[in-house]
Amino acid sequence: MKSKIKWAALGGLVLSFASLIVHLFLAKSTADLVQYTAITVFTEDLTPTLTTRKGPAFRKLWGNVKSLEPLHPYPNPRSTYPVSVEQNNGFIYAKISGSFEKIRNSIVDLVAISRLLNATLVIPEIQESARSKGISSNFKSFSYLYNEDQFIAALANDVTIVKSLPPILREARRRKECQIFKPKSSASLRFYTSEVLPRLKKAKVIGLILTDGGCLQSALPSSMVEYQRLRCRVSFHALQFRPEIEALGKLMVERLRASGQSYLAYHPGLKRDALAYHGCAEIFQDVHTELIQYRRAQMIKQGIISEELNVDSHARKRNGSCPLMPEEVGLLLRAMGYPPRTRIFLSGSETFGGQRVMIPLRAMYTNLVDRTSLCSKTELANFVGPETPLIPDPDQLLPVKSSNQLKSEWDKSGPRPRPLPPPPDRPIYRHEKEGWYGWVAEKDKEPEPSLNDQREQAHRLLWDALDYIVSVDAEVFFPGFDNDGSGPDFASLVMGHRLYEMAAARTFRPNRKYLAELFNTTVDHLYYPPRNWTFAVREHLNKSLAEEGLLKESNLSKTKFFLSHPIPECSCSTVKATDIVHSGKNNNLHLLFEGQDECPKWMQQLRTQEANADEVDSQEDETDLNGQSESEGYNGTDAIPSLEQDEEMDPDD
């Protein structure tokens, strides 16, 4: 009897131990999944049915802009455009550094320059990944972001591209016998034809170092329109991300659209360099202001800025030079009618001010997520690839005292018995600081980037690539800031890609100066604004979606950054400009379609079939928008409303 009890007890222990092992295994295997499965179970207002998705309320928030639907991407050459292999003048290699958008624009310009000089382009080196220590050996330099084979194949009819220099020229480069140029982003055609081309023909190889976000002027003569179309083919077709980035980006889009929902992508544009360049330090507080001013002083010393160090940031904000703060964006979206549980994706690898500045927006829109809440740690680790561990920074290591130092301290500690001595002084370790800006409290000079900092810069390129995919695919995109033509930036690049690929998608182009004036009129009633203030916001933002916003964007940005507004060069229209004139529609629409080429017949037939299928929806939209205009009773053209015109609106209206 006792032996049976012993065997039963032993069996129970074995089962308990096996159960514990199984539970530990399951906990470990699912721990990484909890990160996104718990957060991406979005709180829903209503389950979208077929009726609600086709209703007028849904189309007002998420539907296409009907007046822009005739625009379609068409970057193909309109004339004979072969690659001249017989008269090749030599090889061009390049080193590119900068942020994601600067690297992308530099690559686009490089291809155009190679075509202009009739040279063979060597796959450029991306310095942020090339000089980072210990990153995955699976992806190096250009392939860290982009698919090399796709890049070469897609441009085979435009430029000859190779992965490396021939052995003889490679040795000459190692001996530093090659001519090196450092062109600016606004370098002219004459610079290349008169200075670079003769040396290329003589040496058969030249090098370019690009740090300014490009190497060719944005505006080109009308006779070189094919070069503008080449830029579009490079940026929107040839520059495909490596498969791991594409796969994870599409997976993030699927998770945002789970249960049939639409989502809005928002890019704050709160980057330290942009804030310092435009003088927006005082819209922040405490250490953030000091950090921006330090960076502004560096830019002045480098000759990037020719203004004074201290400027009135509030005046700059009223002038529209500073980004919209997340709280302001939340109020604008609420005025547009987006419900509190709208899915909003926060893009951008850097948000200056951190999560603190996002608190007001997160309070208004609870379904605010970013890549860290949509992806598990395992997915991000696999996406980055295997990396070599780095040696910790010196200030992270505990100080080690020798035996002689310890004995000396003991001898100086006084007679025994004695009270315990006070704790010794010790350095402030990095994990105890508030963030990377902890150096402000300790020293006057910003430290040089450590190995970990360099690796983080490489990682930021990957984060921006993911955010770029999600932002381009979003039903709605709202930029908190774009450079308005002062150079390439993330929001302008996304806006240009969306305009090229799907011109009718809802892409807001807010006039920050006008919105700053609007906010000033109701500064004491931000969360309970008058009804006419809400109508003014809606009218302005709705206009920014359509032809009026596009024309303003073209005037501001195109001359400095072509990819922010690649029409009419890289698009075509399924309607003729003369038809728009005779139809009696507004003059802005006529100006927008004036330079558009007519789409090929095969494309027009395809679009006609799609238009016929959506004809009923189009009529409902026009009826709804006309009814909205009449009922709101606001006919001003970007006029600032008076607070005395109406009572405060219901916050739930």
Side-chain angles (χ1 to χ4, degrees), residues 264-316:
L264 180 149
Y266 162 54
H267 185 263
L270 296 172
K271 301 185 72 171
R272 184 185 177 200
D273 282 5
L275 294 166
Y277 182 87
H278 294 282
C280 305
E282 294 175 6
I283 65 176
F284 289 87
Q285 296 177 352
D286 307 327
V287 70
H288 295 92
T289 298
E290 189 173 348
L291 284 165
I292 295 173
Q293 287 296 84
Y294 182 89
R295 181 64 183 131
R296 184 173 173 84
Q298 285 182 315
M299 289 182 168
I300 293 174
K301 186 176 181 180
Q302 295 168 1
I304 301 174
I305 300 176
S306 57
E307 301 175 331
E308 296 181 355
L309 175 62
N310 297 309
V311 294
D312 187 348
S313 299
H314 299 288
R316 293 292 177 94

Side-chain angles (χ1 to χ4, degrees), residues 62-66 68-69 472-477 498-499 501-509 544-546:
W62 305 101
N64 288 343
V65 181
K66 295 297 179 181
L68 301 181
E69 285 187 343
V472 169
D473 284 352
E475 281 79 9
V476 180
F477 180 71
R498 289 170 63 86
L499 176 60
E501 190 169 310
M502 42 186 183
R506 298 181 74 84
T507 303
F508 289 102
R509 301 170 184 86
S544 75
L545 293 169

Side-chain angles (χ1 to χ4, degrees), residues 314-324 328 332 479-482 484 509-521 533 540-541 552 556 638-641:
H314 299 288
R316 293 292 177 94
K317 185 169 178 62
R318 289 192 298 270
N319 192 40
S321 299
C322 296
L324 293 169
E328 296 172 328
L332 294 173
F481 181 75
D482 63 276
D484 294 333
R509 301 170 184 86
N511 184 326
R512 295 187 301 276
K513 180 178 180 180
Y514 173 72
L515 291 178
E517 296 174 357
L518 268 183
F519 279 116
N520 286 337
T521 62
W533 184 90
H540 171 71
L541 292 180
K552 289 183 179 179
L556 285 173
D638 279 359
I640 305 300

